[in-house]
Amino acid sequence: MPSLRRRTTAVLATLAIVAAPAAAEAQAWTYPSFQPPVIVDREYNFGVASGDDNGTSLLFQWREGFSPVSQLSLDVGFADPDFGDGRFLIGGAYARQMIRANADVPLDLMLTAGAYGSFGDDVQVFRIPVGVSVGHRFPLEGQLALTPYIHPRASIDIFTGDMDDTEINVGFDLGVNFEVTRQLSLRFAAVINELEQDGFGFSVAYRPRGLRR
């Protein structure tokens, strides 16, 4: 039975990676999720992203763990697209750790689901993405570590106002989390989706000390 569970876990993890190139739109706008595949106790992430005609986005993310295997997060930001006026971005997500890397399955895997809104001009955009973040942490010298990851998501996109439409879109992030210390990380990520509104971003993540429950 233990071997069957290990094989099942390995199959699920493999399927997640195989499905990634086929599977989310960005979050509230065209910016990466900046979501490595592990739960944190608390994290403050400050990011900047650029996404084709969707312009530059400034973003703040607050992640808070409320159990050893789950966390909530809040996104707040502002986008300056090449068309129209600036847009206010807000949203939240739930994440659950499904697999932690071990000798049998060398991957971290985390399920994510959220709801996001983009407000400005005469069109409002609401997105409900569901996905999975998959990656592996590679320890380097000292406290340094590198975690490449992929975060595919499928989303229901609802447009209201002058544009009234509902679509289902797919895409994914390709990212890397570079740990300078256990408290500080630099993140680089690209977001690729079927709407041809691709983007990339950079962020600095800070995790306060002494919060482990």
Side-chain angles (χ1 to χ4, degrees):
M1 186 64 70
S3 62
L4 176 59
R5 285 198 296 268
R6 286 196 295 268
R7 287 197 296 270
T8 302
T9 300
V11 169
L12 289 173
T14 303
L15 286 175
I17 290 182
V18 172
E25 244 298 316
Q27 307 296 94
W29 200 240
T30 303
Y31 64 83
S33 65
F34 296 116
Q35 180 58 78
V38 291
I39 298 295
V40 295
D41 292 319
R42 180 174 297 164
E43 180 179 86
Y44 307 115
N45 188 46
F46 304 85
V48 59
S50 178
D52 290 339
D53 293 340
N54 286 335
T56 301
S57 300
L58 299 177
L59 177 69
F60 168 71
Q61 295 177 314
W62 174 19
R63 296 188 170 101
E64 188 80 14
F66 66 91
S67 86
V69 295
S70 56
Q71 77 179 20
L72 294 175
S73 63
L74 171 70
D75 289 18
V76 178
F78 177 82
D80 183 22
D82 295 341
F83 54 89
D85 299 326
R87 303 186 67 84
F88 174 66
L89 316 175
I90 189 168
Y94 169 81
R96 185 170 185 84
Q97 194 82 56
M98 302 304 292
I99 301 174
R100 287 307 307 264
N102 55 63
D104 297 311
V105 183
L107 294 170
D108 293 306
L109 187 150
M110 187 168 68
L111 296 181
T112 63
Y116 299 86
S118 166
F119 304 92
D121 291 334
D122 298 321
V123 177
Q124 319 310 322
V125 183
F126 302 91
R127 289 190 172 122
I128 305 173
V130 177
V132 57
S133 181
V134 185
H136 180 78
R137 182 177 183 271
F138 296 94
L140 304 175
E141 184 179 357
Q143 297 188 59
L144 302 178
L146 198 66
T147 304
Y149 65 92
I150 187 167
H151 188 192
R153 302 181 300 287
S155 70
I156 300 173
D157 296 356
I158 303 170
F159 303 86
T160 64
D162 287 355
M163 178 181 179
D164 189 7
D165 192 17
T166 299
E167 301 177 355
I168 296 178
N169 292 302
V170 295
F172 60 96
D173 290 0
L174 288 173
V176 61
N177 180 65
F178 177 62
E179 292 178 39
V180 180
T181 68
R182 285 289 189 175
Q183 283 69 51
L184 184 67
S185 291
L186 306 179
R187 288 179 187 150
F188 306 86
V191 56
I192 302 169
N193 61 76
E194 64 180 355
L195 296 182
E196 297 183 353
Q197 284 291 332
D198 302 334
F200 63 91
F202 165 78
S203 75
V204 178
Y206 171 69
R207 295 169 295 280
R209 290 177 179 269
L211 292 176
R212 188 167 299 278
R213 298 171 177 83

